[in-house]
Amino acid sequence: MPEQTESVRKAGKIASEARDYGAKLVKEGARALDVAEAVEKKIRELGAAPAFPCNVSFNHTAAHDLPSHGDTRVFKDGDVVKLDIGAHVDGWVSDTAVTVVVGKNELGGKLKAAAELALQNAIKLMVPGNTIGDVSAAIEKTIRDAGFNPVVNLTGHGVGQYEVHTAPAIPNIGTKSPYVLKEGDVFAIEPFVTTGVGMVKETSGTQIYRWTSDRHTRLPESTKILQIARERYARLPFAKRWLVSDANVTPAKLALVIKGLVENGSLYEYPPLREVSDAPVAQAEHTVIVGKEPEVVTA
Ligand code: CO
């Protein structure tokens, strides 16, 4: 649909620029929080808004790791860091990710290369008439040929207006998914590669939330928090730390309010996803428009 195509192109260009800018900031001794904030600021300066907070996932954490308010974590030599970045224009989402290997880590470099090759091989198949099963099979084969395992319970996905994940999914292992790609379909493809068994599980330390409904708690701040989540973040995922200044509450109070809102079903939470065998994970991601010449909007 033309409205989506134009906005996704603009959002894609901005996400891509913010990703490349952020990747250069990931250096030994730099703080993850500074990188996340710089990337989010860049997206706004370029004329879009974050479609979700800048994920900064370390080593065996595949995704949804996010620096918290006052987070002091710094990058160390050998870290395998994933920056996952989303921008939206009028709600139309683009999604892209890159792996940065800090300093020297030969295995990390190989994982990154395998993820990037799997992504490129998948993109070539994003032409009308192919099935998602064809794309998934290419991702899996590329990763296994490199001697690694795909993460089987993380997938690529469609992107929509004010929706980061829409059906159908693009699995990272060969499936019989019969969905036939159509000209103009927009998908984010994101192979995850690991030396581990290739599964992730939810872990503690959630920093990402999304509004789902307005069920207030007895804490007076809950009304304000829900209103910000619904209106300012347009029902897209947001970072807990954004609300410290937005809602002018202390981090401790905020944590309490958010806990109640998750428990009563008003907020949906995205916990960090850790590889079950604690093995390092690399990721590569682009948003692609299906066509005879597939168009990578986040190139
Ligand atoms: Co994605």
Side-chain angles (χ1 to χ4, degrees):
M1 105 192 49
E3 188 204 352
Q4 178 177 19
T5 305
E6 277 321 299
S7 298
V8 160
R9 278 188 183 130
K10 188 173 174 202
K13 200 164 181 300
I14 291 170
S16 147
E17 207 171 320
R19 178 200 62 220
D20 293 349
Y21 168 75
K24 288 199 194 96
L25 302 175
V26 177
K27 289 191 185 115
E28 190 175 352
R31 285 204 319 171
L33 177 59
D34 293 338
V35 172
E37 287 185 335
V39 166
E40 290 159 4
K41 185 163 169 246
K42 178 64 88 182
I43 290 170
R44 291 198 173 89
E45 280 171 3
L46 293 170
F52 51 84
C54 174
N55 288 214
V56 186
S57 301
F58 284 70
N59 302 317
H60 46 249
T61 304
H64 299 172
D65 196 354
L66 203 67
S68 59
H69 181 82
D71 200 311
T72 56
R73 279 179 295 170
V74 296
F75 303 112
K76 296 189 301 295
D77 184 41
D79 278 344
V80 179
V81 178
K82 280 78 61 188
L83 290 185
D84 197 334
I85 288 159
H88 78 85
V89 170
D90 299 327
W92 294 107
V93 171
S94 73
D95 188 355
T96 183
V98 66
T99 297
V100 183
V101 178
V102 181
K104 204 168 151 37
N105 180 338
E106 205 178 317
L107 176 62
K110 286 181 181 165
L111 288 168
K112 170 183 160 77
E116 287 173 355
L117 185 60
L119 177 57
Q120 291 310 322
N121 288 342
I123 289 168
K124 286 183 206 154
L125 296 174
M126 297 299 282
V127 295
N130 278 341
T131 66
I132 283 183
D134 298 330
V135 177
S136 292
I139 293 172
E140 177 174 13
K141 182 173 188 315
T142 307
I143 294 171
R144 298 222 190 270
D145 284 352
F148 300 125
N149 291 322
V151 174
V152 302
N153 56 343
L154 287 173
T155 67
H157 47 91
V159 286
Q161 192 174 27
Y162 296 108
E163 278 187 291
V164 180
H165 291 102
T166 63
I170 301 189
N172 291 319
I173 46 163
T175 59
K176 296 229 157 45
S177 173
Y179 180 89
V180 179
L181 298 172
K182 297 187 306 294
E183 180 97 33
D185 281 351
V186 186
F187 283 99
I189 311 172
E190 48 183 324
F192 287 84
V193 181
T194 182
T195 52
V197 297
M199 286 268 286
V200 290
K201 63 173 179 197
E202 294 183 346
T203 180
S204 60
T206 303
Q207 296 294 328
I208 312 173
Y209 301 87
R210 176 171 58 79
W211 179 92
T212 57
S213 69
D214 271 333
R215 273 178 242 138
H216 305 274
T217 69
R218 289 215 303 255
L219 293 167
E221 293 84 354
S222 77
T223 308
K224 187 159 68 172
I225 302 269
L226 281 176
Q227 191 189 350
I228 292 169
R230 177 168 29 79
E231 292 175 4
R232 189 167 312 176
Y233 300 122
R235 307 175 185 194
L236 287 164
F238 61 88
K240 192 191 268 182
R241 85 182 127 76
W242 292 353
L243 288 178
V244 174
S245 51
D246 287 346
N248 193 24
V249 290
T250 63
K253 182 68 166 194
L254 180 65
L256 202 64
V257 175
I258 284 184
K259 185 168 179 285
L261 292 173
V262 169
E263 276 166 11
N264 79 8
S266 294
L267 294 181
Y268 180 84
E269 63 176 351
Y270 299 85
L273 298 171
R274 185 171 183 141
E275 209 284 324
V276 295
S277 41
D278 276 344
V281 181
Q283 170 201 21
E285 180 176 23
H286 277 309
T287 300
V288 181
I289 302 176
V290 173
K292 284 184 203 77
E293 291 286 328
E295 181 183 342
V296 182
V297 298
T298 50

